[in-house]
Amino acid sequence: RQDLINAFLPALKLSGNATAGQAIYLERCASCHRLGAQGQAIGPDLATVKAGGKEKVLVNILDPNREVAPNYLNYTIDTKDGESLNGIIGNETAASVTLRQASVSDTTVLRANIVRMESTGKSLMPEGLEAGLNSQAMADLLEFIIPPTVGSK
């Protein structure tokens, strides 16, 4: 994924359009990430990533598995009913596990119904969300996520 990151680095030097970036966010990011009053709180709230700057956000978008906080690791649960579920653990009790899934309401599985539960070691965020975007579109998305502060360029 490093070659892909290198290909998108010029986006950091482009002037972005936050309105166009918001449309990209709503299409590709809002099903899992919250920013302000928009989106779902499955992955990290994007307000918390602003301090890292645009380059760090760019790398996290293009290589979501490079660094994953333990509470955002994807888990697979196979059930006695033959279901296979993927998501991040939202809650655990002695009797059940609740998975948070993209674009789906939380799913609670009784531990007695779990055949196998293991971490994939990866983020729930899939690689490839940049497909179809060019450097300008990425600059627009970054401008929406991290708008310039008052008094800066």
Side-chain angles (χ1 to χ4, degrees), residues 27 58 71 75 88 96 122 143:
E27 175 188 311
L58 175 72
N71 53 325
Y75 277 78
I88 61 172
S96 66
K122 294 186 175 188
E143 187 75 9

Side-chain angles (χ1 to χ4, degrees), residues 111-126:
R111 287 193 185 270
N113 194 30
I114 295 175
V115 174
R116 181 180 68 93
M117 178 174 117
E118 74 181 7
S119 169
T120 65
K122 294 186 175 188
S123 172
L124 181 61
M125 182 172 160

Side-chain angles (χ1 to χ4, degrees), residues 15-28:
S15 180
N17 176 316
T19 302
Q22 181 179 25
I24 296 166
Y25 161 79
L26 291 171
E27 175 188 311
R28 297 176 186 235

Side-chain angles (χ1 to χ4, degrees), residues 33-132:
H33 293 281
R34 190 161 195 70
L35 184 59
Q38 296 178 313
Q40 302 300 313
I42 295 170
D45 188 314
L46 295 183
T48 66
V49 303
K50 291 180 180 186
K54 288 184 179 181
E55 184 171 356
K56 184 163 179 59
V57 173
L58 175 72
V59 169
N60 288 338
I61 291 169
L62 298 174
D63 191 359
N65 296 308
R66 184 171 286 200
E67 62 177 58
V68 184
N71 53 325
Y72 294 111
L73 284 172
N74 186 32
Y75 277 78
T76 298
I77 293 179
D78 294 329
T79 69
K80 291 178 180 175
D81 306 339
E83 270 189 298
S84 186
L85 305 166
N86 287 295
I88 61 172
I89 295 177
N91 190 38
E92 283 188 277
T93 68
S96 66
V97 176
T98 300
L99 283 182
R100 307 204 73 212
Q101 301 167 285
S103 303
V104 178
S105 58
D106 292 359
T107 302
T108 299
V109 181
L110 295 176
R111 287 193 185 270
N113 194 30
I114 295 175
V115 174
R116 181 180 68 93
M117 178 174 117
E118 74 181 7
S119 169
T120 65
K122 294 186 175 188
S123 172
L124 181 61
M125 182 172 160
E127 292 180 346
L129 288 175
E130 76 286 342

